[in-house]
Amino acid sequence: MLEQLLAGALEDANTRRRERPYADVETEALRRPAPLDALAALAPADHVKVIAEVKRASPSRGDLAEIAEPQALAAQYEAGGASVVSVLTEGRKFKGSLADLEAVRKAVSIPVLRKDFIGDEYQVLEARASGADLVLLIVAALPQDRLVRLHALIRELGMTPLVETHSEEEVARAVDLGAQLVGVNARDLSTFELDRDLFGRVADQIPAGVIRVAESAVLSLSDVQHYRAAGADAVLVGEALVTGDPIATLASYTSV
Ligand SMILES: O=P(O)(O)OC[C@@H](O)[C@@H](O)c1c[nH]c2ccccc12
């Protein structure tokens, strides 16, 4: 499944590239005002930080919410106390787009993450050209040499890579990369199985000074408390926010 998602995302990027060549997107990316400092926004604090996700659907959960105006939802996230907004830009299974990212970027003053299946440089430039401050890199989807290259490019453009892992081996690869922001996804992107205890098993492997993010299946206050107790500096939340009351949910989560 992960391979298919990546292949689909790369195919869609190639289609866009025919309309908007690499050099044009690069020029646009370099013309943007500097990215916001995501590491500062997510720095460890006396409460857990929340990365709030704009998410319409997923292959494991199906349709979640219509979200006709992602910018309005993102503005609620910011008002509710989110530290970062994550925007799913994958179109096939998650029903997102780069237009969503651009609309959100205009509506909030906190950092914005491009959440997608990133496999080449063009997608990274697109992220910056659309105003992203952070870009997701999924360790399981990429060989280490490509991960190293994309991680470096994201940083050269002033953005922050969020390096997503789902095992001890993948955490080791993220640490090797010098990642400063490491996510542990409870969901296996190949089988969609959930393991909420994975974060607690690998958290100690992430060096001090690196920001630790627990991702997926945060559906209640007790899930947030569970991850906080295991050492999470931040949690990444989609479903609970798009299907519930985002302001009230954020108020409760950010009090942990
Ligand atoms: O809706 P949830 O269970 O709160 O999950 C959010 C987020 O962690 C999930 O959307 C996600 C984590 N890693 C990903 C990689 C690609 C697409 C989506 C994801």
Side-chain angles (χ1 to χ4, degrees):
M1 191 62 188
L2 181 54
E3 272 167 40
Q4 280 161 257
L5 286 164
L6 180 64
L10 285 169
E11 204 179 301
D12 291 346
N14 274 328
T15 304
R16 291 191 297 273
R17 190 170 178 163
R18 277 179 230 122
E19 296 288 314
R20 256 200 337 166
Y22 191 97
D24 292 7
V25 176
E26 188 173 38
T27 305
E28 264 180 70
L30 298 175
R31 250 193 226 135
R32 280 268 176 184
L36 299 175
D37 187 347
L39 294 177
L42 293 170
D46 58 2
H47 65 93
V48 79
K49 304 264 174 100
V50 177
I51 303 175
E53 187 154 281
V54 175
K55 182 179 194 182
R56 293 194 181 87
S58 76
S60 61
R61 307 282 297 137
D63 286 338
L64 295 169
E66 290 273 327
I67 318 183
E69 295 192 346
Q71 64 277 21
L73 181 60
Q76 281 190 299
Y77 286 167
E78 182 172 28
S83 296
V84 166
V85 179
S86 166
V87 181
L88 265 159
T89 57
E90 197 276 348
R92 297 185 181 203
K93 297 286 183 185
F94 294 87
K95 301 190 176 177
S97 68
L98 282 167
D100 290 346
L101 181 69
E102 275 169 49
V104 167
R105 171 67 293 158
K106 287 184 194 138
V108 300
S109 53
I110 53 177
V112 176
L113 165 71
R114 179 180 188 188
K115 185 78 108 55
D116 207 321
F117 298 85
I118 302 292
D120 72 17
E121 280 81 358
Y122 183 78
Q123 294 169 298
V124 172
L125 288 171
E126 278 184 321
R128 185 78 280 268
S130 299
D133 306 291
L134 304 94
V135 177
L136 185 77
L137 289 177
I138 302 170
V139 172
L142 301 168
Q144 193 72 2
D145 59 340
R146 188 138 18 128
L147 208 52
V148 167
R149 276 205 333 260
L150 294 173
H151 191 264
L153 177 63
I154 293 165
R155 294 188 53 175
E156 275 161 31
L157 292 168
M159 297 187 288
T160 303
L162 168 56
V163 181
E164 177 173 303
T165 63
H166 184 69
S167 68
E168 276 178 41
E169 294 71 32
E170 290 178 16
V171 172
R173 288 176 58 195
V175 171
D176 267 4
L177 216 54
Q180 293 170 296
L181 182 61
V182 173
V184 179
N185 193 357
R187 196 180 296 284
D188 185 316
L189 289 170
S190 299
T191 62
F192 298 143
E193 268 167 52
L194 271 180
D195 179 358
R196 281 195 180 82
D197 295 320
L198 176 66
F199 182 88
R201 292 202 304 277
V202 301
D204 281 352
Q205 240 185 291
I206 302 172
V210 173
I211 298 171
R212 303 165 182 176
V213 184
E215 302 178 15
S216 298
V218 174
L219 292 170
S220 70
L221 185 59
S222 68
D223 294 331
V224 181
Q225 288 164 337
H226 169 79
Y227 283 137
R228 183 64 171 170
D233 299 306
V235 289
L236 200 159
V237 187
E239 180 171 344
L241 293 174
V242 300
T243 60
D245 173 345
I247 302 256
T249 305
L250 281 164
S252 114
Y253 288 8
T254 55
S255 71
V256 174

